Amino acid sequence: MTGRAPERCAGAARLPWFALLLGLMLGITGCSSTPKSYVVLLPSPDGSVGKVIVSGAQGEQVLDQAGQTAALDGRAARTPPSQAQIDSDFASTIAARPRLPVHYLVYFSTGTTLTAESMALIPEILAEARSRASVDISVIGHTDTVQTADYNEQLALGRASAVVELLKVRGLTADSVAIESHGEHNLLIATPDNVYEPRNRRVEISIR
Amino acid sequence: MRRALLLVVLSCMCCMGWSVAARAEGTPIGTVKTVTGEASVTTAGVRVAAAVGTPVFQGSVLQTGRQSSMGVTFKDETVMSFGADTSFTVDEYLYAPAQGKLRLSSKLTRGSLNYISGVIARLKPDAVTVTTPSGAIGVRGTQFLVKVEE
């Protein structure tokens, strides 16, 4: 009766028939009724579908298909909640979903000077930030592998700081700004040491 | 004299301990992004009405009232929203990818949650859990809805 037999209607087999009948009439046997506490798996915003594992006193369910549901106690629901039920249970929850974070990459010609193309992207980044009621920004600087790791740690920090300065001068306001340096340790394009690679000379800006 | 010195040393230690605790708690892990109706964020026993921009900390309890809702975006870009009559606690939040410290364990006591994975779930698939009164949810990088009805 415990755990790993979610397909069975746990407990029901032991009950006398009249109790089952009464239960069915009242809709309280649990097994046959639609679960009130449940999970629904949805696709991620990028369209991919991950997995959730629900484990409770009645067993374990693995959900890996979009739209699949499971009761929170881990039993397999014979009558899963209808789409109409899901829509009504979660309408306000879904409506409260914050805007998804967005990401930008800007590149550098020399030192902490942005390329012309990246400079042209700045107004779009500012517009995105302005369109949000509350803005948190994370800015991470990177370099290629020319020069030493220590030098690049500082250069990447300089790049991230220069981008933040530029955004602030152009009127950015944010609840929080986090500046980080990954130096030459987080290459976009894998290269050996001491390789000039413009695509690695970059700053990642995340607005959430 | 010696007693006075001891007092100074003790009070210094006390201050240091206090400031360390304050700092640990003083780093927000997320921000309230949407609110309708009545919602609150309770941290270390202090309850504040939630508004857009209200910070969320490790240990914060997020609550919504009747016909209310709230949305929160965390540092690692995990996005959550809560429907009416919800109580949700962020028990543990670790986001230090360079040190491999990644953890998001939480509790949904009642109400509803829409969860969208962030970097923590992407980098460490078993690092995200949501416990509820009747069962626990392990998350492997995805979006889901969950409702707890008592």
Side-chain angles (χ1 to χ4, degrees):
Chain A
M1 286 300 152
T2 56
R4 308 280 163 152
E7 281 305 311
R8 286 202 55 196
C9 196
R14 280 183 182 168
L15 294 171
W17 65 270
F18 51 87
L20 275 178
L21 188 64
L22 185 69
L24 280 172
M25 282 163 66
L26 296 173
I28 54 165
T29 51
C31 293
S32 53
S33 68
T34 305
K36 286 185 170 164
S37 297
Y38 63 97
V39 185
V40 187
L41 183 65
L42 299 181
S44 294
D46 67 5
S48 67
V49 178
K51 200 190 271 187
V52 299
I53 297 146
V54 182
S55 44
Q58 301 298 325
E60 184 176 286
Q61 301 293 324
V62 177
L63 307 184
D64 55 10
Q65 318 259 323
Q68 257 184 320
T69 63
L72 281 181
D73 60 10
R75 75 193 142 94
R78 291 284 172 89
T79 48
S82 65
Q83 192 56 49
Q85 183 67 48
I86 294 170
D87 290 346
S88 105
D89 281 346
F90 293 103
S92 69
T93 319
I94 292 169
R97 198 155 64 191
R99 275 174 65 182
L100 293 174
V102 292
H103 308 101
Y104 298 93
L105 278 178
V106 291
Y107 297 91
F108 295 79
S109 45
T110 58
T112 59
T113 307
L114 284 171
T115 62
E117 291 89 345
S118 291
M119 202 64 192
L121 195 59
I122 297 293
E124 187 186 325
I125 298 171
L126 286 165
E128 173 64 38
R130 267 190 219 112
S131 70
R132 292 172 178 247
S134 157
V135 182
D136 294 287
I137 294 187
S138 144
V139 182
I140 304 172
H142 303 272
T143 67
D144 60 22
T145 57
V146 176
Q147 288 279 6
T148 65
D150 286 347
Y151 177 91
N152 283 330
E153 193 69 29
Q154 288 307 309
L155 176 57
L157 188 62
R159 283 179 178 162
S161 306
V163 167
V164 169
E165 202 46 46
L166 178 66
L167 292 171
K168 282 186 171 168
V169 164
R170 302 260 186 115
L172 170 80
T173 53
D175 289 313
S176 72
V177 179
I179 300 175
E180 260 184 86
S181 167
H182 286 187
E184 59 174 45
H185 300 296
N186 195 350
L187 302 174
L188 189 62
I189 308 295
T191 72
D193 200 15
N194 273 309
V195 174
Y196 176 87
E197 174 50 73
R199 287 171 293 177
N200 283 334
R201 303 153 64 85
R202 70 201 194 279
V203 161
E204 291 175 77
I205 304 161
S206 307
I207 301 179
R208 61 178 196 275
Chain B
M1 183 62 197
R2 193 175 284 176
R3 187 177 287 179
L5 191 67
L6 187 68
L7 202 65
V8 169
V9 170
L10 274 179
S11 56
C12 273
M13 283 167 69
C14 206
C15 280
M16 280 161 67
W18 186 260
S19 66
V20 167
R23 214 179 306 140
E25 189 190 282
T27 315
I29 57 167
T31 309
V32 173
K33 298 291 184 183
T34 66
V35 179
T36 58
E38 279 179 30
S40 65
V41 177
T42 305
T43 308
V46 180
R47 186 167 188 257
V48 296
V52 173
T54 300
V56 173
F57 302 87
Q58 175 166 276
S60 287
V61 183
L62 311 175
Q63 285 171 306
T64 59
R66 287 182 63 198
Q67 297 183 321
S68 302
S69 66
M70 166 163 52
V72 173
T73 303
F74 292 85
K75 262 192 333 191
D76 75 304
E77 303 191 350
T78 299
V79 173
M80 295 190 192
S81 55
F82 310 95
D85 295 312
T86 296
S87 182
F88 178 85
T89 309
V90 189
D91 289 317
E92 199 181 1
Y93 185 94
L94 294 175
Y95 181 52
Q99 287 99 56
K101 286 184 185 162
L102 300 159
R103 183 105 191 96
L104 170 46
S105 50
S106 61
K107 210 166 34 226
L108 181 66
T109 322
R110 59 190 160 87
S112 61
L113 159 70
N114 179 354
Y115 165 98
I116 301 174
S117 283
V119 180
I120 293 178
R122 190 157 66 238
L123 294 180
K124 197 174 175 190
D126 57 355
V128 181
T129 53
V130 181
T131 54
T132 72
S134 48
I137 302 166
V139 184
R140 307 284 185 272
T142 191
Q143 173 170 203
F144 65 84
L145 303 167
V146 55
K147 175 174 168 250
V148 171
E149 192 173 305
E150 287 151 300

